[in-house]
Amino acid sequence: MTDPHGGALVDLLVGGSRHRHLAAAARNLPVWELTRRQRCDLELLAAGGFSPLRTFHDQADYESVCASMRLVSGQLWPIPVTLDLPESVVRSAGSTGGVTLRARGADVAVLWLDSAWRPDRRAEALAVFGTTDSAHPGVDALLHGSHPWYVSGRLEVLQLPYHYTFRPLRHTPAEVRCILAERGWERVVAFQTRNPMHRAHQELTVRALRDLDAHLLLHPVVGITKPGDVDPSVRVRCYEALLPTYSPGSVLLSLLPLAMRMAGPREALWHAIVRKNYGATHFIVGRDHAGPGVDGRGRPFYQPYDAQDLVRRHERELGIAVVPFRQLVYVEELQRYVPEDEVHPRQHLLRISGTEQRRRLASGEKLPAWFTPPEVAAELRRAFPARPAQGVGVALGAAPMQGAVRPPT
């Protein structure tokens, strides 16, 4: 597939007679129902979001990525994209030559099995995440929520996984690039987010658009994020509510079905590659990009600006410009946000932690406008009504938290 915004994208979707033959073959192969993380990976593989990848990593590429952040070909690629399966499915696929991949009961692809191996997942965790501490959600998912075998082979895709919500906001990389070309946008700044946008986030994007004379690709992750994050459906409504606050025609909101690993610097590099595939020319990397917080001893897994440093070192090779920002803080005397390294020692900073925000939402207290745009606060209030207004309900079963990582079933 050649796209109108420059470059080429991988397209693994089959059509015509091959589609009919593949659909028939899929009915005679062993079946694997993809986990949530695997559905996200398959969708981005199939649509070109993970270009130049054409399938899940084989052992050689997997080991090369872990060791050097590069494919065997030498191309930059920092995060393993693997398909983990239980031994029984691997054996069945080995005897038939392939496995049918399903998403929510629908056949979406066939993987023609070429290789299978048992990885050293602790070594993978140390290489990719820099730790084996299960307090890291990516490590926990890898060590305790994945199957023992990795497989690879030729991947043929019947259809992309289906989404029931926000369909007008879901675009393939080629579709985004077409929109950018139709609008005549030459400079496009991509913004990664997994949270409702607070005032500091908004200020980052406004500054980037102004400084670069560019347009904004607001590209929130709606696949897997950090356990405990706000549900994607709530976040998307917050993003939609915020769009009218930007200059008309300056923003494209498009949802990214990515399964984050929370791998800090490596993940920031990965995000930049993905956003280049979607047609962005610039990518905002903020403080502690894709960081998961603190380890079991209360120490941060990654230093605040390690991600910026790593992406900037590879900026020329990436082919997408990095827009680094220091953390913005609200100065009471100035009544505005400024970079943290520009704050005078005697100035007063106003802060609200995530814990404090949740407490205010639960108690019905107002979220201050300097912290949360009123449009976002209104959506959060609808999603999280104060406790006295919530009524009484009966819990019939424990549902998994949105974004939580759990063992595949």
Side-chain angles (χ1 to χ4, degrees):
M1 175 192 300
T2 300
D3 66 88
H5 215 68
L9 296 173
V10 170
D11 185 355
L12 303 176
L13 287 161
V14 299
S17 61
R18 181 57 192 162
H19 187 281
R20 294 191 296 273
H21 293 152
L22 186 65
R27 292 192 286 270
N28 296 312
L29 294 173
V31 172
W32 175 249
E33 178 70 34
L34 295 167
T35 67
R36 190 166 168 230
R37 191 267 296 169
Q38 292 168 349
R39 287 200 305 268
C40 293
D41 286 354
L42 176 72
E43 181 168 357
L44 288 173
L45 277 170
F50 284 168
S51 189
L53 303 190
R54 302 192 63 86
T55 187
F56 297 96
H57 282 144
D58 62 18
Q59 187 170 3
D61 272 331
Y62 161 76
E63 292 177 350
S64 181
V65 165
C66 288
S68 67
M69 299 195 303
R70 294 185 182 275
L71 304 172
V72 171
S73 67
Q75 288 178 282
L76 197 62
W77 193 271
I79 298 292
V81 178
T82 54
L83 180 61
D84 59 293
L85 297 177
E87 185 171 344
S88 58
V89 177
V90 175
R91 286 181 176 176
S92 298
S95 64
T96 59
V99 57
T100 297
L101 305 179
R102 283 185 179 168
R104 299 188 182 94
D107 294 349
V108 292
V110 170
L111 181 80
W112 301 106
L113 190 66
D114 286 337
S115 62
W117 74 100
R118 293 179 65 100
D120 182 340
R121 288 180 292 174
R122 289 187 66 82
E124 178 184 340
L126 194 59
V128 176
F129 302 108
T131 181
T132 58
D133 186 345
S134 291
H136 189 300
V139 172
D140 184 54
L142 175 64
L143 299 185
H144 308 297
S146 61
H147 294 97
W149 287 84
Y150 286 173
V151 299
S152 187
R154 184 165 58 95
L155 184 65
E156 292 187 282
V157 180
L158 291 162
Q159 59 182 319
L160 297 179
Y162 188 82
H163 296 284
Y164 295 94
T165 59
F166 303 110
R167 290 184 59 79
L169 300 178
R170 298 181 185 272
H171 312 99
T172 66
E175 288 169 344
V176 169
R177 289 181 171 224
C178 281
I179 294 171
L180 302 182
E182 289 169 357
R183 296 184 179 183
W185 292 5
E186 296 183 355
R187 286 182 174 229
V188 180
V189 182
F191 182 66
Q192 148 83 25
T193 180
R194 41 167 267 264
N195 293 300
M197 284 179 69
H198 302 310
R199 187 71 78 183
H201 304 146
Q202 187 181 24
E203 180 67 17
L204 282 179
T205 61
V206 170
R207 290 182 179 217
L209 299 190
R210 179 194 63 211
D211 295 346
L212 297 168
D213 188 23
H215 295 83
L216 176 66
L217 172 60
L218 182 55
H219 214 204
V221 170
V222 293
I224 296 176
T225 59
K226 185 180 177 182
D229 281 351
V230 174
D231 187 281
S233 62
V234 176
R235 291 193 285 112
V236 174
R237 291 195 294 272
C238 290
Y239 306 137
E240 290 181 311
L242 202 58
L243 290 181
T245 68
Y246 289 90
S247 298
S250 65
V251 182
L252 171 63
L253 172 61
S254 184
L255 309 184
L256 180 66
L258 180 75
M260 291 184 67
R261 274 62 164 178
M262 305 303 299
R266 278 195 180 222
E267 179 134 353
L269 202 60
W270 193 40
H271 289 177
I273 294 171
V274 170
R275 272 34 184 256
K276 180 187 176 184
N277 286 334
Y278 276 85
T281 59
H282 296 71
F283 181 54
I284 295 174
V285 181
R287 183 184 185 277
D288 197 26
H289 187 107
V294 297
D295 63 18
R297 298 181 180 180
R299 301 173 301 189
F301 282 105
Y302 312 113
Q303 293 305 305
Y305 296 103
D306 282 356
Q308 286 186 6
D309 293 342
L310 181 63
V311 179
R312 293 185 77 172
R313 287 203 301 271
H314 295 280
E315 185 174 21
R316 181 172 296 181
E317 183 179 2
L318 283 169
I320 183 172
V322 180
V323 185
F325 274 107
R326 308 298 289 183
Q327 184 178 23
L328 296 181
V329 293
Y330 191 81
V331 178
E332 186 175 21
E333 290 84 354
L334 302 177
Q335 296 289 291
R336 60 184 173 87
Y337 281 90
V338 301
E340 61 180 354
D341 54 355
E342 296 179 12
V343 177
H344 190 278
R346 294 184 179 180
Q347 290 176 328
H348 297 88
L349 306 184
L350 299 182
R351 305 175 186 271
I352 288 183
S353 67
T355 300
E356 172 65 9
Q357 179 187 13
R358 288 189 290 273
R359 187 195 68 77
R360 290 188 180 218
L361 285 170
S363 65
E365 293 180 49
K366 184 178 180 180
L367 294 172
W370 63 262
F371 174 71
T372 301
E375 300 84 357
V376 173
E379 288 297 332
L380 291 174
R381 177 60 61 211
R382 279 190 280 272
F384 301 99
R387 287 193 182 114
Q390 285 179 331
V392 177
V394 179
L396 299 178
M401 190 184 319
Q402 185 68 39
V405 179
R406 58 178 180 174
T409 56

